[in-house]
Amino acid sequence: MKSKHNFKSFWRFIRKNLKFCTVFIVALALVFLSIFWGIIPVKQNFEGNLLVKSFSFTCQENESLLLKNVYNLSRIDLSGLKKLTLAGIFSSLADPELNKRERLEIESIRENSTLRITPTADFILQELRLQKETRVKNLKYAPFYNRLAYSLQPNSQPVNLSFNPSGNPIKITLSGYKIANFPLKKEDIPLEFNLSTTEFRLEIQQAIDVDLQLSQDKEQPIFWRNIKVNNVRFERPIITGNNVRDDLVESTIISGNIRMAQQDLKLEKNQFLIVEKPGVEILNQIKIIREDTNQNLKLKTTGENLQISEASQGLEVSVSGNTNSIQVGLNPRLPIAQIQGSFLSRYLGSEAIVAIISFSAGLIVSLLSWLFDNFAASP
């Protein structure tokens, strides 16, 4: 009976203070919505710039242009090609029989076979186009040697490497290959000959390693922009070869900055970037940061101390993507900083969100206090 009496008293109180109760319910709903919109993760766009030693990615678009007009190459090494066909005018002092050929069918006879191209004059890599699901692994720039290296792993469609010899002969050195209908040399003796052709194209159907010796032209842009990708990794494995449990993963990040939900996250050397899927979706731009021979040291003064640090060199990568969480840390399992997207963070900064939630919570506390005081005093 007592509980029934309390219910009737509560119902009379609500009818008597209907306007207040309506405001209270609306305020309570707003509090829950603000907490929900401010805390529950929501996927958002992000962007950033990273300076890295190397990185890997998978192409997500057919005929996607990665490299274009790489001028004045002084050497190209390709390892892992199983078969290739060369056509043109051949000349060789060591093997005069090659001078009679117009076409060579070449096949690998060992795992670590290498094709070396040494131009005698201007030699241009016209373009490297990637097919969908082509994996580019360990794309890196070695500033000391001024070399660009990467591994190509085509999926189902071949990848084409197109060169322009500019009408000049090129020197071909084959290690670990045999030529069809040509006497097989000892395995440790490479085949060398010159090739004159107007077009030089290689069709890549299996995983290969590519090493390009670049020119000294520091202003030469060679990477194309807005490449659609996924599975981007700014890290490399360290494999011991003895026990899988001993294998490690090393971050290749030198420095960087990521922005999402009106927040910035700074990355320092050797920190990992952990991004929830879908993650990085577009490589906006890739630039080579070369060694500056005039200023390869940076001087910093902090009070009475003088600090000397080496200039950063590598690949500068501008990225965009979509995720609900970004984390960084020296250990990928124990990140120390995080940005998390929410519905409110699309439009408001973190301080504004905290202020809204705090105000709403304070309003509810005040309304609850008034409610209990007045209900207790009601007959």
Side-chain angles (χ1 to χ4, degrees):
M1 294 294 293
K2 187 176 180 181
S3 59
K4 187 176 182 180
H5 173 74
N6 290 338
F7 177 77
K8 288 181 177 180
S9 299
F10 181 71
W11 183 247
R12 283 197 302 269
F13 175 80
I14 290 177
R15 286 189 297 178
K16 184 179 180 180
N17 300 276
L18 185 59
K19 291 183 179 180
F20 169 81
C21 292
T22 303
V23 172
F24 175 76
I25 293 172
V26 172
L28 187 64
L30 288 176
V31 168
F32 281 113
L33 285 175
S34 63
I35 293 174
F36 180 82
W37 289 337
I39 296 177
I40 300 300
V42 175
K43 289 181 180 179
Q44 293 194 33
N45 295 333
F46 70 90
E47 61 184 15
N49 289 292
L50 302 169
L51 182 64
V52 301
K53 301 173 190 174
S54 64
F55 72 106
S56 304
F57 61 90
T58 301
C59 179
Q60 285 299 294
E61 191 174 39
N62 282 326
E63 296 295 322
S64 183
L65 186 60
L66 177 63
L67 293 171
K68 183 173 178 64
N69 293 335
V70 186
Y71 293 95
N72 301 322
L73 290 169
S74 58
R75 196 185 71 213
I76 303 99
D77 288 332
L78 299 103
S79 303
L81 271 174
K82 300 301 181 184
K83 293 182 179 181
L84 66 148
T85 301
L86 299 179
I89 300 174
F90 301 94
S91 62
S92 173
L93 294 176
D95 300 291
E97 180 65 24
L98 291 176
N99 301 341
K100 304 175 184 178
R101 302 286 188 95
E102 295 182 353
R103 184 183 181 89
L104 296 180
E105 300 290 340
I106 302 169
E107 185 176 350
S108 171
I109 57 174
R110 67 179 190 218
E111 287 295 325
N112 58 342
S113 53
T114 303
L115 164 65
R116 171 168 290 183
I117 305 168
T118 309
T120 58
D122 187 22
F123 191 71
I124 306 168
L125 193 162
Q126 286 183 310
E127 62 179 28
L128 167 59
R129 288 192 178 273
L130 306 177
Q131 302 299 332
K132 190 173 182 179
E133 298 302 329
T134 299
R135 183 72 176 165
V136 179
K137 291 187 64 177
N138 200 27
L139 176 61
K140 62 183 178 180
Y141 172 69
F144 184 79
Y145 301 101
N146 193 29
R147 282 165 34 191
L148 183 71
Y150 53 90
S151 296
L152 279 178
Q153 296 181 348
N155 186 25
S156 57
Q157 301 180 68
V159 174
N160 290 316
L161 265 171
S162 300
F163 299 92
N164 181 6
S166 302
N168 302 302
I170 54 177
K171 180 182 177 181
I172 303 291
T173 304
L174 299 172
S175 300
Y177 287 95
K178 68 176 182 178
I179 300 175
N181 302 318
F182 191 80
L184 184 63
K185 287 192 172 187
K186 292 183 179 179
E187 190 172 339
D188 57 344
I189 300 178
L191 285 162
E192 291 187 356
F193 53 87
N194 289 336
L195 169 63
S196 296
T197 181
T198 57
E199 183 181 14
F200 190 84
R201 182 187 294 265
L202 293 173
E203 189 176 82
I204 313 300
Q205 298 185 2
Q206 67 285 320
I208 67 164
D209 296 326
V210 182
D211 194 315
L212 305 176
Q213 183 72 53
L214 303 177
S215 73
Q216 296 298 324
D217 183 5
K218 296 183 180 181
E219 302 301 323
Q220 180 186 11
I222 61 175
F223 290 100
W224 208 240
R225 301 188 179 193
N226 300 329
I227 304 169
K228 294 182 180 180
V229 296
N230 69 1
N231 195 18
V232 181
R233 294 286 182 269
F234 300 102
E235 59 192 38
R236 69 180 186 90
I238 302 176
I239 301 174
T240 61
N242 299 322
N243 193 321
V244 176
R245 291 180 297 178
D246 296 329
D247 295 345
L248 299 172
V249 177
E250 179 184 62
S251 171
T252 60
I253 293 175
I254 300 172
S255 63
N257 187 75
I258 295 289
R259 181 169 180 79
M260 184 181 79
Q262 302 187 42
Q263 300 179 63
D264 290 289
L265 201 57
K266 184 179 179 182
L267 289 96
E268 298 180 353
K269 190 172 183 179
N270 297 328
Q271 283 189 319
F272 287 88
L273 176 64
I274 306 108
V275 183
E276 296 291 334
K277 291 183 177 180
V280 176
E281 297 177 309
I282 298 178
L283 300 177
N284 301 312
Q285 188 176 26
I286 307 171
K287 290 174 62 178
I288 292 176
I289 306 300
R290 304 182 186 230
E291 180 180 12
D292 190 344
T293 55
N294 297 321
Q295 184 182 0
N296 55 13
L297 292 178
K298 294 180 180 179
L299 303 180
K300 299 179 181 178
T301 56
T302 56
E304 297 179 354
N305 299 323
L306 180 67
Q307 299 177 353
I308 301 178
S309 60
E310 294 184 3
S312 297
Q313 303 154 19
L315 294 173
E316 186 179 73
V317 188
S318 172
V319 300
S320 295
N322 186 271
T323 187
N324 58 20
S325 175
I326 299 175
Q327 298 174 311
V328 301
L330 291 173
N331 189 317
R333 297 180 181 177
L334 300 170
I336 62 167
Q338 178 182 14
I339 297 177
Q340 183 168 290
S342 64
F343 178 80
L344 288 181
S345 63
R346 292 181 179 179
Y347 312 101
L348 301 173
S350 57
E351 294 181 357
I353 294 173
V354 171
I356 290 174
I357 295 176
S358 300
F359 173 78
S360 301
L363 179 62
I364 286 297
V365 170
S366 300
L367 292 174
L368 281 173
S369 178
W370 185 93
L371 177 66
F372 287 127
D373 291 342
N374 285 270
F375 180 70
S378 63

